[in-house]
C-alpha cells in the first residue's frame, strides 16, 4: 500500500476539520487534530491544557528575545518543535490526515504529501460557526476574522511560506459546495496515492 | 439535465487548457477557448487576427482617456464586452467549459458556475512550455513570468477581483499531479451538477 500524508489547512468555520475527518474515515486512514495535543503532552511533559493554550500562538519578538537570552527556546516554539517531530513520525509510519499545525510545511520534504486548504465565503462561515460552535451571532464576524488572523500569524511565524497563498497547496476548495461533495473531491485527489 | 458553467483560469505552462479540454470531452460538454475569438469576430466585425492581438491586453489609462474623450470605448474594452456577451449567451444555453477571458467574473451571477484555477510549480511549467509550446529554454522563465503578469493585468483590469486569490475560486489545483488526475478531480467537482 502506498503511503500518503494529507494535510488540511482550513479557514475558521469552513468545516475543514469535519471534512478532513470524513475523508480519513472513508479511506480508513488515521486522523490527527487534537490527537496531536495528547501526543505532544507525552513528548514534552506539559499538560494537555497548557499545550492547548500555548499552541497556535506565535511568539512575540520581545518574548523571543527574553527566552533567547536564557538560551532556551520559547515554550510555543518548544511545543511546535515537539509537534513537528510527532507529525514527521506519524507520516513516516503510514498514510495519515493531519489538520492544522503547519503540517504542510513540516512535511515539505515528504515524498507523497498532498496539501489541501479549505475555505468558504464569510457569510457561510458565520452561519456554520453560530450553528455548530455556538458562537454569538452578533460577534461572529469579528470572532471569525480574529481566528483567521491567528491561524495566519501562527503559520507565517513558524513556516517560511505565507498562509492562504494558493501556490503553497496542491488543492484549495470552497466547502460551501457541501461537506460530502468536498470530501469526495479530496478523495479523488488522493486516488491511487494511498 | 442540469446546466453548469465551468470556468478555467490557468497559469501559463500549467497545461490548464489541455486539462479543461479533457474535462469537456469526458463530460461531453462544449469547450470554448479560441472558439470565442471566432464568435467575437462575428459579433464585432473585427478580424480574428485583430482580436487575437487585442484581447488579453489591458487598456492603458492614457489610451483609455483618449478614447473616452471621443466617447467611444477602447477597442480592447469593446472586444471584452462582446466576448462577455457571448460567454453569458453560451452559459445560458447549456453546460460549458470556458478557458480564460475573466469568465469566472463575467458569470459571477450565474446560478451554477464553478470556478477553477490551475497552477503548477515554475520548474514544471518551464519544462512543459519548452516541450509543448516550443519556447526557448534559455528565456523560458522570463517568458512565463511575462505571460502570467499579462494574464493577471488583464483580469485585474476587467474585473473587480484580483487574479490568483484563492477565495475567488471554488477550486484551485496543482496540475503537476498529472493531467488525467487533475481532470478527474475537476470532474468530481462537477459531479451531480451537469
Amino acid at each position: 500500500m502506498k503511503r500518503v500524508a494529507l494535510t488540511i489547512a482550513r479557514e475558521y468555520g469552513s468545516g475543514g476539520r469535519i471534512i478532513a475527518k470524513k475523508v480519513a474515515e472513508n479511506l480508513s486512514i488515521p486522523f490527527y487534530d487534537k490527537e496531536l495535543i495528547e501526543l505532544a503532552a507525552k513528548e514534552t511533559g506539559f499538560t494537555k491544557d497548557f499545550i492547548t493554550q500555548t499552541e497556535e500562538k506565535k511568539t512575540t519578538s520581545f518574548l523571543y528575545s527574553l527566552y533567547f537570552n536564557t538560551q532556551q527556546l520559547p515554550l510555543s516554539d518548544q511545543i511546535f518543535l515537539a509537534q513537528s517531530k510527532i507529525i514527521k513520525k506519524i507520516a513516516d509510519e503510514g498514510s495519515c490526515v493531519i489538520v492544522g499545525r503547519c503540517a504542510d510545511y513540516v512535511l515539505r520534504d515528504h515524498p507523497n504529501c498532498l496539501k489541501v486548504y479549505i475555505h468558504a465565503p464569510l457569510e457561510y462561515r458565520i452561519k456554520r460557526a453560530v450553528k455548530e460552535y455556538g458562537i454569538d451571532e452578533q460577534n461572529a464576524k469579528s470572532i471569525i476574522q480574529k481566528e483567521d488572523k491567528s491561524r495566519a500569524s501562527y503559520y507565517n511565524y513558524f513556516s517560511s511560506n505565507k498562509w492562504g497563498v494558493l501556490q503553497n497547496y496542491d488543492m484549495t476548495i470552497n466547502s460551501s459546495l457541501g461537506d460530502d461533495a468536498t470530501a469526495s473531491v479530496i478523495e479523488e485527489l488522493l486516488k491511487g496515492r494511498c
Side-chain angles (χ1 to χ4, degrees), chain A residues 135-151:
Chain A
I135 68 169
D136 174 39
E137 194 166 359
Q138 293 300 312
N139 301 317
K141 190 178 168 183
S142 65
I143 291 168
I144 287 172
Q145 287 171 333
K146 200 177 157 192
E147 190 62 38
D148 279 352
K149 205 175 164 188
S150 159
R151 288 182 185 180

Side-chain angles (χ1 to χ4, degrees), chain A residues 17-190:
Chain A
R17 187 187 174 279
I18 292 164
I19 293 162
K21 199 164 189 180
K22 256 184 209 291
V23 171
E25 282 169 3
N26 291 344
L27 301 180
S28 305
I29 295 176
F31 171 80
Y32 297 92
D33 178 20
K34 299 207 187 306
E35 293 77 2
L36 286 167
I37 295 172
E38 195 157 340
L39 294 170
K42 281 185 195 157
E43 176 78 22
T44 59
F46 295 127
T47 67
K48 284 194 281 179
D49 282 351
F50 180 78
I51 292 174
T52 305
Q53 285 161 24
T54 311
E55 73 159 358
E56 309 227 348
K57 292 201 195 314
K58 72 174 172 59
T59 317
T60 63
S61 54
F62 173 66
L63 273 177
Y64 186 85
S65 61
L66 275 183
Y67 277 104
F68 188 74
N69 287 338
T70 64
Q71 293 194 315
Q72 195 179 22
L73 280 172
L75 294 178
S76 58
D77 290 33
Q78 288 182 43
I79 289 167
F80 175 77
L81 290 175
Q83 282 188 335
S84 299
K85 199 174 147 190
I86 293 162
I87 288 169
K88 283 180 187 166
K89 191 167 172 274
I90 287 167
D92 276 345
E93 285 171 357
S95 292
C96 54
V97 177
I98 300 172
V99 175
R101 293 166 186 86
C102 301
D104 57 295
Y105 181 75
V106 172
L107 296 176
R108 63 194 176 280
D109 297 325
H110 188 280
N112 200 15
C113 176
L114 285 170
K115 305 165 190 85
V116 170
Y117 181 99
I118 299 178
H119 63 101
L122 185 60
E123 288 310 311
Y124 175 88
R125 296 195 283 142
I126 288 174
K127 278 186 196 155
R128 191 158 189 164
V130 168
K131 193 179 164 194
E132 292 178 17
Y133 313 152
I135 68 169
D136 174 39
E137 194 166 359
Q138 293 300 312
N139 301 317
K141 190 178 168 183
S142 65
I143 291 168
I144 287 172
Q145 287 171 333
K146 200 177 157 192
E147 190 62 38
D148 279 352
K149 205 175 164 188
S150 159
R151 288 182 185 180
S153 297
Y154 175 81
Y155 188 85
N156 299 344
Y157 176 77
F158 284 116
S159 85
S160 63
N161 290 338
K162 207 172 166 219
W163 173 260
V165 170
L166 71 86
Q167 284 81 0
N168 292 340
Y169 306 95
D170 293 303
M171 187 169 97
T172 73
I173 188 158
N174 171 3
S175 62
S176 73
L177 299 166
D179 283 6
D180 286 334
T182 305
S184 295
V185 174
I186 297 172
E187 286 163 30
E188 188 61 37
L189 182 80
L190 292 171

